[in-house]
């Protein structure tokens, strides 16, 4: 990986599928690249919301699970690991042109880049949290906002907070393999599919309703228990746990767009046929970009990525030959 504070050629805002492919193509063209992603992992919405669901409109794949698609994109990017820096859990707040490069301000500091490609979808993607003190200390340790592999919870005491499809489905799927699973919801009724709720009632899942989270206790690194309180009551229960899953859903926000000094409409960035925004050196692709005839498909974003990268290279190095070269000529196998 390159130095975090070095001036890179192209900074990509967003580490979803389209951003990952843009980073790969930029690496293929010999550029130094940085990906800034607000989540704690790469992959965007496919990784977080539907990793097990099949996607049918990816060329050459009759069907591929969303999680596997992301894994393959990350594997593809590893070819250029010496040219790529990945910055996770970092939200872009704004940027401005200073001299020959852009200064990008994020929630963790500043980055310098010669050009920017925005691939953040409909905005920064973040989980809805418990809102409890110290919660951030346990995230990604034994507090999870989404589940990728059920077997990581095998033999453990698991507490799940939430009442939607994901919360109920995770409780049902975990029940046979964990030591215990407790589902906490603030209402007596669940929002999940009726069949899933019926399976829940027939299972050994400990269902506690209506309760709300009150306090998270732990050692500062791992959560040890969750204190919950019955709605409209002083009654509390302390639930010992090995793992806590918070399933309150996710939110997207492009609230920082107004600080980016580019033209936009609602939550999308206006671009021309070359994916150029209203500010020279800044481009937008994927669901972040809006233009006449736009199709909001992953396949569309994959096609936009090389075009934006090539335009960025032309902007940074106008003296270079900007003609695209086939990958068979660019990649030298050992």
């Amino acid at each position: 990986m390159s130095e975090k504070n070095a001036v890179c050629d192209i900074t990509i805002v967003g580490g979803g599928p389209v951003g990952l492919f843009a980073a790969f193509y930029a690496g293929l063209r010999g550029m130094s690249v940085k990906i800034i992603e607000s989540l704690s992992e790469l992959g965007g919405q496919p990784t977080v919301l539907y990793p097990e669901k099949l996607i049918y409109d990816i060329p050459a794949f009759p069907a591929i699970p969303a999680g596997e698609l992301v894994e393959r994109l990350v594997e593809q990017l590893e070819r250029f690991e010496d040219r790529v820096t990945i910055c996770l859990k970092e939200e872009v707040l704004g940027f401005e042109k200073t001299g020959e490069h852009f200064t990008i301000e994020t929630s963790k500091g500043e980055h310098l880049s010669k050009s920017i490609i925005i691939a953040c979808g409909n905005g920064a993607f973040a989980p809805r949290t418990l809102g409890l003190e110290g919660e951030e200390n346990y995230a990604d340790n034994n507090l999870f906002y989404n589940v990728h592999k059920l077997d990581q919870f095998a033999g453990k005491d698991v507490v799940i907070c939430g009442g939607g499809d994901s919360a109920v489905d995770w409780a049902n799927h975990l029940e046979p393999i964990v030591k215990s699973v407790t589902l906490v919801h603030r209402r007596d009724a669940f929002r999940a599919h009726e069949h899933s709720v019926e399976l829940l009632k027939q299972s050994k899942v400990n269902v506690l309703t209506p309760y709300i989270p009150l306090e998270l206790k732990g050692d500062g690194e791992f959560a040890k228990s969750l204190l919950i309180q019955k709605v409209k009551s002083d009654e509390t229960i302390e639930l010992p746990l090995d793992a806590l899953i918070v399933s309150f859903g996710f939110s997207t926000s492009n609230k920082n767009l107004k600080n980016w000094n580019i033209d936009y409409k609602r939550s999308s960035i206006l671009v021309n046929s070359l994916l150029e925004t209203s500010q020279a050196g800044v481009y937008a692709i994927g669901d972040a970009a809006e233009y006449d005839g736009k199709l909001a498909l992953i396949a569309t974003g994959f096609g936009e990525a090389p075009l934006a990268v090539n335009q960025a290279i032309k902007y940074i190095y106008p003296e270079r030959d900007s003609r695209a070269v086939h990958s068979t000529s660019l990649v030298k196998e050992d």
Side-chain angles (χ1 to χ4, degrees):
M1 299 295 176
S2 59
E3 290 294 328
K4 180 175 181 179
N5 296 323
V7 180
C8 67
D9 291 318
I10 300 174
T11 292
I12 298 171
V13 181
V18 173
L20 289 170
F21 185 65
F24 165 76
Y25 187 78
L28 197 65
R29 294 296 309 275
M31 297 295 103
S32 59
V33 187
K34 182 176 292 182
I35 298 175
I36 301 178
E37 167 58 51
S38 62
L39 292 175
S40 60
E41 58 189 321
L42 296 170
Q45 294 192 30
T47 292
V48 174
L49 293 184
Y50 49 92
E52 300 299 327
K53 288 190 176 181
L54 294 175
I55 300 177
Y56 297 95
D57 57 356
I58 303 300
F61 289 99
I64 183 171
E68 182 181 342
L69 174 64
V70 171
E71 289 176 2
R72 288 175 177 261
L73 286 163
V74 172
E75 180 182 356
Q76 185 182 45
L77 186 58
E78 288 173 354
R79 175 183 291 274
F80 304 115
E81 61 182 359
D82 59 328
R83 301 176 191 169
V84 179
T85 299
I86 297 173
C87 303
L88 299 175
K89 300 177 71 173
E90 199 162 345
E91 184 177 353
V92 172
L93 305 178
F95 52 80
E96 63 177 344
K97 187 71 178 294
T98 53
E100 296 183 353
H101 58 259
F102 290 91
T103 299
I104 303 170
E105 180 188 359
T106 76
S107 54
K108 290 187 177 181
E110 292 185 346
H111 302 266
L112 305 178
S113 185
K114 297 176 183 178
S115 66
I116 299 172
I117 296 178
I118 301 170
C120 58
N122 293 317
F125 196 59
R128 293 189 174 95
T129 66
L130 293 169
L132 299 181
E133 183 178 356
E135 178 176 353
E136 65 278 3
N137 297 327
Y138 307 115
D140 301 321
N141 291 333
N142 69 332
L143 188 158
F144 306 90
Y145 298 102
N146 60 309
V147 174
H148 295 304
K149 296 181 179 179
L150 295 176
D151 57 9
Q152 72 187 80
F153 301 101
K156 296 182 178 180
D157 292 313
V158 181
V159 174
I160 302 174
C161 292
D165 284 308
S166 293
V168 173
D169 287 346
W170 285 336
N172 285 334
H173 289 135
L174 285 171
E175 188 262 332
I177 67 171
V178 298
K179 182 178 180 181
S180 72
V181 57
T182 300
L183 181 60
V184 179
H185 185 40
R186 60 179 176 159
R187 297 189 178 96
D188 287 319
F190 289 92
R191 304 185 309 277
H193 192 277
E194 292 178 358
H195 177 66
S196 299
V197 175
E198 187 60 34
L199 291 177
L200 178 70
K201 292 178 179 179
Q202 297 172 9
S203 73
K204 297 180 181 179
V205 175
N206 179 27
V207 178
L208 295 177
T209 64
Y211 284 86
I212 57 173
L214 189 64
E215 183 181 358
L216 194 56
K217 301 181 180 181
D219 59 10
E221 184 177 5
F222 291 94
K224 301 297 184 182
S225 66
L226 177 68
L227 185 67
I228 61 175
Q229 181 178 20
K230 194 164 189 175
V231 175
K232 298 180 181 180
S233 170
D234 293 330
E235 177 189 336
T236 61
I237 300 175
E238 185 168 354
L239 302 171
L241 57 87
D242 297 313
L244 173 62
I245 300 171
V246 179
S247 182
F248 290 166
F250 288 77
S251 63
T252 58
S253 173
N254 260 342
K255 63 181 182 298
N256 294 316
L257 265 180
K258 62 181 182 295
N259 301 321
W260 291 4
N261 194 30
I262 50 179
D263 292 341
Y264 64 94
K265 183 179 181 181
R266 293 187 290 273
S267 62
S268 299
I269 299 166
L270 300 177
V271 299
N272 61 19
S273 60
L274 297 177
L275 289 315
E276 297 168 323
T277 70
S278 57
Q279 183 169 174
V282 181
Y283 309 85
I285 59 178
D287 289 346
E290 178 66 32
Y291 53 84
D292 289 342
K294 171 76 177 190
L295 288 177
L297 299 173
I298 294 178
T300 302
F302 285 162
E304 294 167 350
L307 177 58
V309 169
N310 286 334
Q311 290 304 121
I313 295 172
K314 188 175 181 179
Y315 170 79
I316 302 167
Y317 304 108
E319 73 285 355
R320 289 190 185 180
D321 186 346
S322 60
R323 290 176 297 179
V325 180
H326 294 298
S327 63
T328 49
S329 301
L330 291 170
V331 176
K332 306 298 183 185
E333 297 291 353
D334 295 332

